[in-house]
Each structure stands twice: as structure tokens, then as C-alpha cells.
Amino acid sequence: MSVSDQHGDDHTLAGEYVLGTLSPSERQAVEARLTHDAALQDAVMSWEERFAPYTALATPVAPSAFLWPRIQRSLNAQTPAHHPQKAMPERRRLFNSLPLWRGVAGLGLAAALVMAIMLARPPAPATPEYMVVLLAPQAQSAGWVVQASSRQRIQLIPLGTFEVPEGKALEFWTKADDWQAPVSLGLVAPGEPVSIDLEALPPLEDNQLFELTLEEASGSATGLPTGPIEFIGRAVEI
Amino acid sequence: MTDVTHEFDHAAVLERCARGEHDALHQLYQQEGGALLGVVFRIVKDRGMAEDIVHDACLNIWQRAASFDPAKGSARTWIFSVARHLALNAIRYRDREINVDHSDPAQFEHDETFQHALRIEEAFDWQTGQRMDTCLQALETERRNCILHAYVDGLSHAEIAEHTGAPLGTVKAWIKRSLQRLRECMA
């Protein structure tokens, strides 16, 4: 069925690679060859140049406000020598004792159960003013919910379990739009609900960012998030 | 240095990235972040995934900036190709996990729903004023559509067949021959 002439073969292959129509295994094979095959590299680059103007057919999309900070954090994590920020003062690290959190009673509840409870009746003290759903960036699935019954006290509620790798811990952070840097709210144990006092911080505000990052077992040494973001979300006034 | 929009020097920015200047990557992001996200989003069709890929692309560009060779092509093309291929890899490997095996042409060719009269209206407002326009223009509309569905939308052969109503084998042959004709035309 295939009647391509010998010389045209690699050029067509390179063209299909650039178009994106090769199967995953064919793509892998081309990428493997590209590491050492200069002629194929040139063929691919020629196609990239030919098609490049048509990237303009895709309408630009404004990135969300936290994409660049996230890139910057990953950049800082890669190149500690270039780390420009100063560590957060120790007193702002409100909770950093993992054993403390482990001591908090309660097992992880199934997502459906938590949602059912939350939808059925507002939690005891008062109707929450703010709510945050923390999503896993990769899976876009909800992992945790933050509820604020006042602007000074929040509850972090797990919707499922999370496998923390050996020697690592989940660290909880928040940052309002006009803050310079995120502030640590301490380490949290997966699957366990936690209440956190925000007394030392300005009152919770709309759109305030919350995230859980994977850090060393003792928490981020710099006082700023350094590890990958596992869950992220913003406060919504309700 | 006041007007960066008209004379943004992508090659110079890559050079500064290669020297470890974070600020250079930020400038690149400010200049092209929206365009990169647009290209990636069009392919993966999921906002969160698109942002993940632009994040990865920026780190990739940062790490590989030193390997960029201005003698081999334009810096802007290189930057966009890094992001596009991450997006293509992401959807190809994702689809391999959750979808039917697209590599079996018979399954599609024997399915009569794909034998509809072909829709051959232009699928894209595609003229960009570049030399390649003339060569794309020389292709039949349905073949041009296949090429652009692949490049812009990141559709696989099977998805293009489904989208255009053309049989899978025909789509594969059209794309191969169109590439050969485009290359001859651009030579």
C-alpha cells in the first residue's frame, strides 16, 4: 500500500512527526532517532519552519494568574543557586509539626459522604463565608475542601486519600493576591481533617490562593513552597 | 528596549536562559505565554492540562535553551515546537490508554458511517501571508483540511477521518501525498 520513494521517506516521516499524526510508538521511534540522526533533525526542523506560521490559527488564551508563579517555583527548585527570595520568618510558620497533625483524630471520609454532609446542612458553628475546592492539577479531580466558618478560622477537609512518598510531607500554603509570597499553614497528614487558626494572618479574602505542595518530611526548608503542587484552589465567597 | 512587542528577540532570550537568567524566561512568558497556551489548549482541549503543559514547556525551554542552534532555525519556531510536541505526546499517550487502538484501518474503512459524502468546505481561515500559503492553496480543500486538522487541532488520522467523513486509509494517503507535494512546492 505504501508507495513512497526511498528518498522522500524520511522527509514524509518528519512531516508526519511535526503534524502529530504518527502513532505513539512511531513518535517514540522518531524521537529516539532525533537524538543522533542529524539528517532527520534537519528534516523535522524544516517542517517546523514551514508549518510554524499556522500556530497563529490557534486563538491565544490568557494564562491563569498562578501559572507564572508556579513556573517560577519549579525554576527555583531546579536552580537553588539562583534562589532570590528570602525565607519566611519562623513565626509565620504557624504549624509545622507533623506528629501534631497525626494526632488529630479522624479518618479520611469518602468524597461522596463529605459532599453529602456539606450539601445537606451547613457545618455546626455558622454558614461558611468562604469555600475552596483544591484540585489536583494533573487529574483536575477534587482532593480537599477548605471551609471557613469565619475569616479567621478554616477547616481543611480531605475528600480522599493521598499517597505521600517516603520521606516527604504535604505542606499547606496560602497567599492572597497582594501578598509578596505564600505563607505556610503547616504540614498536613493525608486523609485527616484539620482546623487552622488564621489569627496571625490578615482576614481571609475572596480569590485567596490555597495549595498543598509535596515537601521534605520536615517541611520546606526555605519557608516557601519548593515541591510540586499536588492540590490547588482559590477561595470563593459563598 | 522599550517596545518589546514588535522587536522581541527570541534568540537573545534563549541565550539569556542558557546563561541562567530567570528574568529572560519571564520575559518570554510575558511575550508568548498566551500564544503558547492557545496552541496547546487547541490540541489538548483541557484548560488545566494545557497549563500543566505550558509549565513543563517553559521548564523544558529553560533546560534546553543552550542546545538551541540559531543556525538551524528560528528561535520562535523552536520554542513553539517544544510546547506543541509536549501537547501531542500528552494526548497521544493519554488516548492510547483510554481509547480503542486507532492503528487498525480496517475497523474504520468497513464502517459505513464514514462513507458519507465528504464535507469539503474550508475548515480553517488559514491564510497567513507566508510562502507556505501558496503551497497549501495548491492542495485540494479536503486535503488541506486534513493537514490543518492535524497541525492545529492535533487530531490523529482516525479523528480526522471521523471529523471529515473520509475513510481512514484515504486520510492517511492524502496526508502522506500532501506532505510530499508541500515539500516539492517549498523546495
Side-chain angles (χ1 to χ4, degrees), chain A residues 59-113:
Chain A
T59 315
V61 174
S64 66
F66 49 87
L67 181 54
W68 174 251
R70 187 178 154 203
I71 292 167
Q72 198 170 27
R73 275 202 298 280
S74 302
L75 215 55
N76 289 339
Q78 281 187 337
T79 49
H82 290 282
H83 207 302
Q85 283 127 318
K86 287 186 72 179
M88 206 41 59
E90 190 59 31
R91 62 180 176 77
R92 302 199 74 173
R93 298 172 55 92
L94 302 177
F95 301 87
N96 54 12
S97 154
L98 189 57
L100 170 73
W101 295 128
R102 289 237 161 95
V104 174
L107 294 166
L109 298 167
L113 179 60

Side-chain angles (χ1 to χ4, degrees), chain B:
Chain B
M1 283 305 286
T2 44
D3 186 0
V4 289
T5 50
H6 292 291
E7 290 182 24
F8 193 82
D9 189 340
H10 294 81
V13 157
L14 285 183
E15 224 182 285
R16 290 174 50 217
C17 285
R19 287 202 300 265
E21 296 178 28
H22 283 194
D23 189 45
L25 190 69
H26 193 209
Q27 278 173 21
L28 177 63
Y29 177 86
Q30 285 176 320
Q31 176 72 15
E32 301 288 7
L36 285 170
L37 188 59
V39 165
V40 168
F41 177 70
R42 185 77 176 256
I43 292 172
V44 304
K45 297 166 188 73
D46 176 293
R47 185 61 196 263
M49 189 180 185
E51 294 217 348
D52 287 347
I53 289 168
V54 171
H55 166 271
D56 293 355
C58 285
L59 293 187
N60 243 285
I61 288 164
W62 172 258
Q63 287 162 341
R64 291 163 53 190
S67 74
F68 168 71
D69 179 357
K72 293 205 165 178
S74 100
R76 188 171 191 272
T77 298
W78 183 83
I79 287 160
F80 277 75
S81 72
V82 168
R84 257 192 91 251
H85 285 293
L86 284 179
L88 288 168
N89 283 344
I91 55 164
R92 290 292 172 265
Y93 298 129
R94 175 189 68 186
D95 293 351
R96 184 170 58 177
E97 278 160 27
I98 60 173
N99 282 357
V100 293
D101 182 1
H102 285 170
S103 65
D104 177 15
Q107 180 192 347
F108 294 91
E109 274 171 338
H110 294 157
D111 184 335
E112 290 186 41
T113 59
F114 290 112
Q115 307 293 330
H116 292 157
L118 300 178
R119 294 195 295 268
I120 53 163
E121 306 96 69
E122 290 287 352
F124 295 83
D125 179 13
W126 54 271
Q127 307 262 3
T128 60
Q130 303 293 315
R131 184 166 154 240
M132 179 82 157
D133 279 359
T134 326
C135 300
L136 273 177
Q137 180 74 64
L139 298 177
E140 294 80 355
T141 309
E142 65 272 21
R143 301 184 188 204
R144 178 164 55 246
N145 286 347
C146 290
I147 295 284
L148 292 174
H149 275 313
Y151 186 76
V152 182
D153 295 322
L155 298 190
S156 66
H157 284 134
E159 288 163 338
I160 295 169
E162 196 167 357
H163 198 82
T164 59
L168 182 64
T170 307
V171 167
K172 286 185 177 176
W174 277 352
I175 287 176
K176 257 196 172 64
R177 282 181 216 139
S178 298
L179 286 171
Q180 286 156 5
R181 282 169 60 187
L182 287 171
R183 184 167 161 262
E184 283 162 20
C185 174
M186 290 293 281

